[in-house]
Amino acid sequence: MSTMDSPPPAEPYVLADHPALDLLNTVALINGTACDYFQSDADVLRWLARMGVPACVEAGALEEGEVLRSARTLREVVRTLVIRRKAGEAGNYAALNDYLTKCPSYLQLRAVSATGLEVERRAAGLTPESLLAPLAEAAAELLAHGDFSLVKHCEHSDCMLWFYDRTKSHRRRWCSMSLCGNRHKVAEFRKRQAQVTRTGLD
């Protein structure tokens, strides 16, 4: 996301309406330069918490940098597949399938009240892949069942963010109306004002 009109956000935007696309959006354009919001394991774990993905990792449980490397690898695998799927091209799903084999997990029932139950997924072992498994699974579901006419890039020239268009009309154009939508309106207003000024000078 270009930030000529506002200071860069401290955290990546979560506005894609799909977790796999929000993963892609952890790289954004800042003043015309791609900015990777994943710079450490802590960055990834903080983002997972924002996404509602439980990721409790005790200090020393994993080698430093493992979670970061795994998250970046998954992100670029998913990015390549989404781009190809959006273009109507066949993708090579081997890398994502290989990633998914490293995400062993199982379902557990948990009582949430005297009569209420909840099903939760738990990792069979602590690995970087198991922490990121919900994102890998969400990406697989998107690629298999998503309507890719609704998977879109923000139309602003200074933005690289993706989103899933869940609006009723399916005419969403911007990552966010308050961000790029507003910037587009301001730019169009300035263009009209400039035309009026030029016309008045002629």
Side-chain angles (χ1 to χ4, degrees):
M1 175 75 64
S2 174
T3 55
M4 290 184 291
D5 301 329
S6 60
E11 299 284 344
Y13 294 108
V14 175
L15 43 69
D17 288 323
H18 195 286
L21 299 178
D22 276 319
L23 174 63
L24 303 189
N25 293 345
T26 58
V27 176
L29 287 179
I30 305 296
N31 296 325
T33 302
C35 172
D36 187 345
Y37 280 94
F38 287 172
Q39 295 296 318
S40 67
D41 292 346
D43 292 339
V44 178
L45 295 174
R46 188 167 54 251
W47 181 81
L48 287 172
R50 284 182 69 203
M51 297 297 296
V53 177
C56 296
V57 182
E58 294 180 9
L62 294 169
E63 283 189 29
E64 186 176 348
E66 274 190 291
V67 175
L68 174 63
R69 283 191 296 273
S70 186
R72 285 178 165 176
T73 297
L74 175 62
R75 182 179 62 196
E76 296 317 308
V77 165
V78 173
R79 187 184 307 283
T80 298
L81 292 174
V82 166
I83 290 171
R84 292 187 69 88
R85 180 85 164 74
K86 179 66 178 171
E89 301 170 356
N92 182 347
Y93 303 105
L96 182 58
N97 283 335
D98 181 60
Y99 194 98
L100 288 164
T101 65
K102 299 172 183 173
C103 303
S105 62
Y106 55 91
L107 295 179
Q108 290 278 281
L109 282 172
R110 183 171 70 89
V112 293
S113 66
T115 56
L117 292 173
E118 183 176 85
V119 177
E120 64 181 14
R121 185 176 294 276
R122 293 184 182 175
L126 180 61
T127 65
E129 292 80 12
S130 68
L131 294 175
L132 294 156
L135 281 306
E137 292 169 356
E141 288 293 330
L142 174 67
L143 292 163
H145 305 297
D147 181 345
F148 267 70
S149 69
L150 305 181
V151 174
K152 302 177 181 180
H153 255 135
C154 179
E155 291 185 18
H156 200 286
S157 59
D158 291 332
C159 186
M160 62 184 289
L161 301 185
W162 291 84
F163 60 88
Y164 199 102
D165 185 356
R166 299 186 191 276
T167 61
K168 286 185 179 180
S169 65
H170 300 313
R171 293 181 180 174
R172 181 176 168 186
R173 299 175 59 195
W174 316 109
C175 59
S176 167
M177 277 306 299
S178 64
L179 298 169
C180 286
N182 186 58
R183 290 168 61 216
H184 174 75
K185 286 181 179 179
V186 170
E188 288 298 301
F189 174 77
R190 288 176 180 164
K191 189 187 299 182
R192 287 193 300 272
Q193 291 296 101
Q195 288 172 344
V196 169
T197 301
R198 282 197 301 271
T199 301
L201 293 173
D202 293 340

